[in-house]
């Protein structure tokens, strides 16, 4: 009795409109061209399983993108520098990006601003 080889399948990822993804352009990658991998935002998820993406740097549309060449860029990764910042040390700001500093400044301002009272009713 011959054993049949086991099939292994990799589940295809499903992305939502608005997700940030890392996209690798397959034709550019396999032909060795530079600039084949870039950050995009999912503009439209199609019922066919393909996607329309917008490249963040160039604002170029990429149509018929296959999920096999896309990886999710989770918000957790983008916010890790804020989440792990040593805020109690004197040089805490040195290791943070400008975006992290802007976010913390906004949060500090919002937290320390008293709520406005509604205007008089007439």
């Amino acid at each position: 009795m011959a054993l049949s080889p086991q099939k292994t399948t990799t589940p295809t990822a499903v992305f939502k409109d608005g997700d940030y993804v890392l996209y690798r352009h397959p034709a550019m990658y396999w032909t060795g061209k530079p600039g084949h991998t870039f950050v995009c935002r999912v503009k439209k998820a199609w019922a066919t399983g393909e996607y329309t993406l917008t490249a963040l740097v160039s604002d170029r549309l990429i149509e018929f993108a296959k999920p096999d060449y896309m990886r999710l860029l989770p918000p957790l990764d983008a916010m890790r520098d804020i989440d792990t910042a040593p805020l109690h040390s004197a040089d805490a700001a040195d290791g943070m990006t400008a975006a992290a500093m802007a976010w913390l400044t906004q949060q500090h301002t919002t937290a320390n601003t008293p709520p406005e009272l509604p205007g008089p009713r007439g």
Side-chain angles (χ1 to χ4, degrees):
M1 173 181 223
L3 296 176
S4 62
Q6 289 184 343
K7 277 180 99 172
T8 58
T9 58
T10 304
T12 301
V14 177
F15 304 99
K16 301 181 307 264
D17 294 356
D19 280 348
Y20 289 95
V21 296
L22 190 64
Y23 175 68
R24 177 164 286 163
H25 190 286
M28 291 174 65
Y29 175 76
W30 291 115
T31 57
K33 294 180 180 171
H36 51 68
T37 305
F38 37 91
V39 176
C40 296
R41 189 164 188 186
V42 176
K43 183 175 178 87
K44 177 79 175 156
W46 297 95
T48 62
E50 296 173 320
Y51 296 87
T52 299
L53 308 175
T54 303
L56 291 186
V57 173
S58 65
D59 207 31
R60 179 182 76 155
L61 277 183
I62 299 151
E63 297 182 308
F64 310 109
K66 304 232 183 279
D68 294 338
Y69 291 94
M70 298 164 55
R71 296 295 182 264
L72 182 65
L73 295 174
L76 180 64
D77 290 347
M79 301 304 285
R80 183 168 285 127
D81 59 338
I82 291 173
D83 295 338
T84 61
L87 299 178
H88 299 292
S89 67
D91 59 347
D94 294 344
M96 298 178 73
T97 64
M101 289 300 297
W103 183 85
L104 285 173
T105 301
Q106 178 185 13
Q107 296 307 308
H108 177 73
T109 302
T110 304
N112 293 320
T113 303
E116 291 186 25
L117 296 174
R121 295 184 184 179

